[in-house]
Each structure stands twice: as C-alpha cells, then as structure tokens.
C-alpha cells in the first residue's frame, strides 16, 4: 500500500482530527456507559471508587479472591516507576508450586491497552479473568501497568503534574517500559516469559519484535485484537472525523497529560456529545451492543477503575498511524526536528515483516471489532505472510468485538483455552 502523502506542515489538522475521533469514541462510550449502569457491585470488589489512599491492585482484586499476589516495582531506564502485580500460582496450589521468588510455573507478562491499566486483567471473577485462569492453570502471572496509569504514576525525579513527565509516546513503551519489564520478570523467575497483550499492548510488542528487541527474551507472544495498522477503523470514528472540534481539542489538550477523567476533558466530551449529529447514545449502544458476551456487572466494575490517563503524544501518535496508513515512529512534523531525532526528515517505519519468522505468535481477532478492524488485521497478516506456518496461530471470531477478548464471559472458552495450549506448545 503506497504511503499517503504527508500534509506538511498542516499536520495538526489531520492529526488532531483523528486524535479527536479516537478520543471521542472511547470517552463517550465509557462516560455514557458509566452513567447508565447502576453502582451495584459487591463482594470482593466492593471498594470505594478511586480511593485517595491507594491500597494497591493486589489488595483490591486478587487477594480478596484468595490468590497470592505480590506488588513489584520496575524503574525504567528513563526513571518511570512502574507497578507490576505478580500472581505466582493459583488459588488452590500449595506454596511449594511457584514459590515466591522462584516461580516454577511459566511466567507470562500481561500488557493492557491504551487508556486502561493492568486492573483490566484482574477485575472479573476467577472463572472469567485471564490473569486468574492462567494462575489456576499453573502459570506465574505478571501484570504490567504502563507509565502514567494509576499505579505507575511515579518517577524518580519528575512530578506527574509536570509536562516533562508526560513527554513520551508509545515509541517510549517500545524502548523502555516493555524491555525493562521483561528483563525484570526474567531476572526474578530465571525464565523467559511469554507475552500476552491486548490492543495497544499488541502494537508495542509488534513494534518491539519488528526491531528485533524482544525476540530472544520472550518465549512467545499472544496478541488479542492485534493493532498495527489503523486505517480501517470504522463507522463511529468516520462519523466523528468529520465533526472534530479541532480548536477545542487543542485548547483542552494543550497540557501533555491526557486524562479522560479530568474536568476539562469531561466537559469537552459532554459538549461534543451534545453536538447535533454526534449521537453518543448510539455510539454506546454500538460499542457495547456489538460486543458479544459482556457481563453488565463486570462492565460496571470495570468502569469504577477505568479509564486511565495516557500522554497526549500517545494519542497523537495513534492518530498519525490512522492518518498515514503506515506504522512509524512519532512524527515531529517539522523535518528538521525529525532529522534531529531520527537522522532523516520522516520518522522511520516499523516493518512488521522484519519479525523473525520463527518467533512463536498467536493472534486472535474479532469480526465486530471497530478498533482492531479485521481489514487492518488483514494488512498485518499480509506482512506476516512469510512467517513459519508452524509458529503462527491465527484465530478469527466473527462475533467478537474489542472488549470481548478481555471482559467477555465467553473469552474463557473461545480464546483463553487456545492461548494456554499455545503457551504450552512453546514452553
Ligand atoms: C457477571 O459478573 C458478576 C460480577 O463480576 C458475577 O458475579 C457473575 O457471576 C457474572 N455472570 C456471568 C453470567 O458470568
Ligand atoms: C519490509 O521488510 C521486507 C523484508 O524484510 C521488505 O521486503 C519490505 O520491502 C519492507 N517494507 C517496507 C515498507 O520497507
């Protein structure tokens, strides 16, 4: 596919339009869904919304369900202090299996997507959430939390209210967060971990692997709703693209933090949703209705903890991928700035064909997914055409949408069993 011409230096219009569209869809969906559901959660997760005194993800989720759970921190090469939760074994395993510090089970690192955090893997019931299912099947589970999210908002020297703290895009997750967390898990377990990502978590992994970064450090990678290309994101985005309020978005997002729950962003969302033609209610219905097997009370619990902030640079970077139809490093737009950062006037591309053909990959995607659209997954699969057939498994689930893979009650039977067989095959 030929690269689209870059409209330079009018980057901002296109980039902001696309950023706005992504933002509006995600946020309208989450905010309105939050308004509709009744706060009826109970049991292990009956905790206050966004406590000022964080008790830690383990204490809020895994421990009440009876799992061993350890809080770890990983400091990245650029000083971000990331929180990682470890569930070293299942509920019913003796302490001998996967003992603390020397997990006997195969380690698996779970990487969440954009605008959420590692809690995504931990909020459902033990019968439904992937982290618990893996632990109960004998895996040593490590849950990543990307910089800037609730449990990973510290830095050795920067304050998270400063612009400097938020000066990163997903390229930085490729070169810092991912390798630093993988190294940490390897060191603690004396084993190479498997990787499992959802949504932007898969983009970071694919980009890393394409540069040869994690190839010899991971046993395999399972990618749920793989995101590389974004050019086919469908209807709601398309509708909203035409309606982006560029000026307002820029004035709100002048800050370098992109926090969906900040009053400025919330206000913007409300205004955008009120705009004629932007039917946020319909968007929600599409968003949740197209998901195949979401449990409403699970979604309710999810919305108590999500969404989470990211950097505006990450949102712009995703928008550039949407606009350009290629997966590249962050585009600083001005050729001289790109020159200074990359030694060339355009940002370098990530070439997914460069992922070594023997690296074990599992990809699972859904026919109703409007973010990881099947047409875009098709482009990725085209790039992986030369991959060793015995080392790539591709699963297509026609009725699944984006969130089914993480929150769906049917993911266990349809997806997680396959993931576990795949991991066991490449142990
Ligand atoms: C839905 O989620 C709730 C709370 O997480 C759980 O108690 C219930 O068993 C789930 N229902 C189904 C059908 O999975
Ligand atoms: C990506 O890499 C493959 C082989 O590794 C090469 O054939 C192809 O031309 C590259 N694509 C781009 C867009 O550079």
């Amino acid at each position: 596919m030929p690269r689209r011409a870059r409209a330079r230096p009018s980057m901002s219009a296109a980039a902001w339009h696309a950023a706005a569209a992504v933002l509006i869809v995600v946020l309208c969906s989450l905010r309105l869904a939050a308004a509709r559901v009744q706060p009826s959660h109970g049991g292990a997760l009956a905790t206050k919304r966004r406590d000022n005194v964080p008790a830690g993800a383990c204490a809020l989720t895994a421990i009440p369900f009876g799992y061993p759970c350890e809080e770890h921190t990983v400091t990245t090469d650029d000083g971000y202090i990331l929180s990682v939760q470890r569930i070293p074994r299942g509920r019913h395993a003796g302490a001998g299996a996967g003992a603390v510090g020397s997990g006997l089970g195969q380690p698996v690192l779970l990487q969440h997507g954009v605008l959420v955090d590692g809690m995504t893997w931990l909020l459902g019931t033990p019968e439904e959430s992937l982290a618990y299912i893996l632990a109960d099947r004998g895996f040593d589970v490590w849950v990543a939390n990307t910089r800037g999210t609730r449990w990973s908002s510290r830095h050795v020297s920067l304050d998270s209210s400063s612009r400097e703290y938020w000066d990163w895009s997903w390229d930085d997750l490729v070169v810092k967060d991912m390798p630093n967390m993988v190294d940490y898990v390897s060191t603690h377990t004396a084993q190479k971990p498997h990787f499992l990502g959802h949504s932007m978590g898969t983009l970071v992994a694919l980009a890393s692997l394409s540069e040869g970064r994690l190839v010899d450090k991971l046993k395999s990678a399972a990618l749920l709703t793989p995101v590389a290309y974004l050019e086919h994101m469908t209807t709601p985005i398309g509708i909203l693209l035409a309606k982006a309020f560029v000026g307002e978005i820029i004035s709100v997002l002048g800050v370098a933090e992109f926090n969906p729950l900040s009053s400025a962003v919330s206000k913007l969302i409300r205004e955008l949703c009120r705009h004629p033609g932007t039917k946020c209610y319909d968007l929600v219905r599409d968003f949740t209705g197209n998901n195949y097997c979401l449990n409403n009370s699970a979604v309710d619990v999810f919305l108590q903890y999500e969404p989470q902030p990211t950097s505006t640079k990450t949102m712009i970077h995703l928008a550039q991928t949407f606009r350009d139809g290629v997966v590249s490093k962050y585009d600083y737009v001005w050729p001289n700035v790109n020159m200074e950062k990359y030694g060339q006037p355009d940002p370098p591309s990530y070439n997914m064909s460069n992922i070594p053909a023997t690296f074990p990959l599992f990809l699972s995607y859904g026919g109703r997914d409007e973010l990881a659209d099947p047409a875009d997954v098709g482009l990725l699969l085209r790039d992986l055409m030369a991959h060793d057939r015995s080392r790539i498994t591709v699963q297509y689930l026609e009725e699944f949408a984006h969130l089914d893979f993480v929150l769906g009650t049917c993911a266990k039977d349809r997806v997680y069993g396959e993931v576990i067989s795949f991991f066991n095959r490449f142990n």
Side-chain angles (χ1 to χ4, degrees):
M1 178 136 310
R3 184 171 180 137
R4 285 181 205 157
R6 287 165 187 282
R8 186 190 306 277
S10 65
M11 136 230 171
S12 315
W16 282 113
H17 272 78
V22 173
L23 148 77
I24 294 158
V25 169
V26 173
L27 300 182
C28 284
S29 302
L30 292 174
R31 299 297 292 178
L32 290 185
R36 282 189 313 144
V37 293
Q38 296 301 313
S40 60
H41 52 96
L45 293 164
T47 47
K48 279 213 187 70
R49 184 187 165 95
R50 292 173 196 281
D51 287 335
N52 287 328
V53 187
C58 281
L60 288 173
T61 57
I63 289 171
F65 282 132
Y67 288 84
C69 188
E70 306 162 12
E71 296 283 354
H72 290 253
T73 53
V74 176
T75 303
T76 65
D77 297 339
D78 53 351
Y80 290 83
I81 302 170
L82 309 178
S83 141
V84 180
Q85 288 79 38
R86 179 195 195 188
I87 305 176
R89 58 184 177 274
R91 273 180 297 183
H92 307 299
V100 173
S102 62
L104 300 176
Q106 302 176 54
V108 181
L109 179 65
L110 303 185
Q111 176 62 59
H112 60 82
V114 69
L115 295 175
V116 295
D117 67 2
M119 298 283 277
T120 358
W121 305 111
L122 299 166
L123 289 170
T125 64
E127 290 71 33
E128 288 169 358
S129 283
L130 180 57
Y132 304 131
I133 290 170
L134 285 170
D136 283 334
R137 292 289 294 270
F139 289 87
D140 178 4
V141 180
W142 297 75
V143 176
N145 292 269
T146 297
R147 58 177 66 183
T149 59
R150 186 184 192 191
W151 310 111
S152 294
S153 58
R154 289 182 297 146
H155 186 277
V156 292
S157 61
L158 300 174
D159 190 283
S160 67
S161 63
S162 68
R163 292 182 63 87
E164 292 74 19
Y165 177 91
W166 294 100
D167 187 13
W168 50 272
S169 78
W170 62 257
D171 286 333
D172 299 275
L173 310 182
V174 172
V175 297
K176 300 287 196 282
D177 288 30
M178 268 283 282
N180 289 154
M181 281 191 288
V182 169
D183 284 345
Y184 184 90
V185 172
S186 303
T187 304
H188 273 257
T189 59
Q191 293 190 70
K192 281 192 211 178
H194 297 281
F195 172 87
L196 183 139
H198 179 243
S199 195
M200 196 179 75
T202 70
L203 174 60
V204 172
L206 287 163
S208 299
L209 293 168
S210 78
E211 294 193 316
R213 281 176 195 280
L214 297 172
V215 173
D216 56 354
K217 297 192 165 184
L218 293 174
K219 281 183 185 150
S220 75
L223 311 173
L224 309 185
T225 74
V227 168
Y229 299 94
L230 285 173
E231 38 178 324
H232 294 97
M233 281 193 300
T234 45
T235 17
I237 304 267
I239 294 164
L240 287 161
L241 265 175
K243 313 212 173 294
F245 292 59
V246 176
E248 284 168 82
I249 301 259
I250 289 172
S251 66
V252 167
L253 302 184
V255 287
E257 177 184 4
F258 182 89
N259 183 354
L261 295 178
S262 70
S263 59
V265 176
S266 297
K267 180 163 171 282
L268 176 74
I269 303 308
R270 280 199 305 278
E271 282 169 11
L272 290 176
C273 288
R274 231 186 272 131
H275 191 261
T278 312
K279 291 180 184 153
C280 288
Y281 179 78
D282 286 351
L283 276 182
V284 171
R285 215 172 44 188
D286 287 350
F287 187 73
T288 53
N290 281 349
N291 282 287
Y292 177 56
C293 59
L294 290 193
N295 170 345
N296 280 340
S297 49
V299 172
D300 174 13
V301 172
F302 177 76
L303 290 169
Q304 289 162 45
Y305 296 94
E306 314 293 353
Q308 291 289 315
T310 188
S311 65
T312 51
K313 242 174 127 176
T314 292
M315 297 303 284
I316 294 169
H317 194 184
L318 290 171
Q320 291 173 348
T321 306
F322 179 60
R323 175 195 64 180
D324 294 346
V326 288
V327 194
S328 299
K329 291 183 194 288
Y330 185 84
D331 189 350
Y332 287 89
V333 181
W334 305 104
N336 59 322
V337 182
N338 282 332
M339 202 70 193
E340 189 185 303
K341 301 276 181 187
Y342 305 122
Q344 55 188 76
D346 284 332
S349 301
Y350 292 106
N351 185 344
M352 301 308 170
S353 300
N354 291 340
I355 296 175
T358 53
F359 184 82
L361 288 177
F362 175 96
L363 290 83
S364 185
Y365 67 111
R368 293 192 198 171
D369 196 331
E370 294 182 346
L371 293 175
D373 188 277
D376 286 327
V377 178
L379 294 176
L380 172 63
L381 293 174
R382 179 202 60 190
D383 287 351
L384 298 175
M385 219 154 51
H387 210 83
D388 182 338
R389 289 293 110 190
S390 66
R391 288 172 175 263
I392 183 166
T393 303
V394 179
Q395 182 185 41
Y396 173 66
L397 300 166
E398 190 169 358
E399 63 276 45
F400 270 47
H402 205 65
L403 285 180
D404 284 316
F405 291 87
V406 181
L407 295 180
T409 53
C410 46
K412 176 191 182 176
D413 292 333
R414 304 287 298 279
V415 183
Y416 302 161
E418 299 293 321
V419 166
I420 288 169
S421 311
F422 167 78
F423 284 158
N424 284 331
R425 195 145 58 90
F426 293 103
N427 181 22

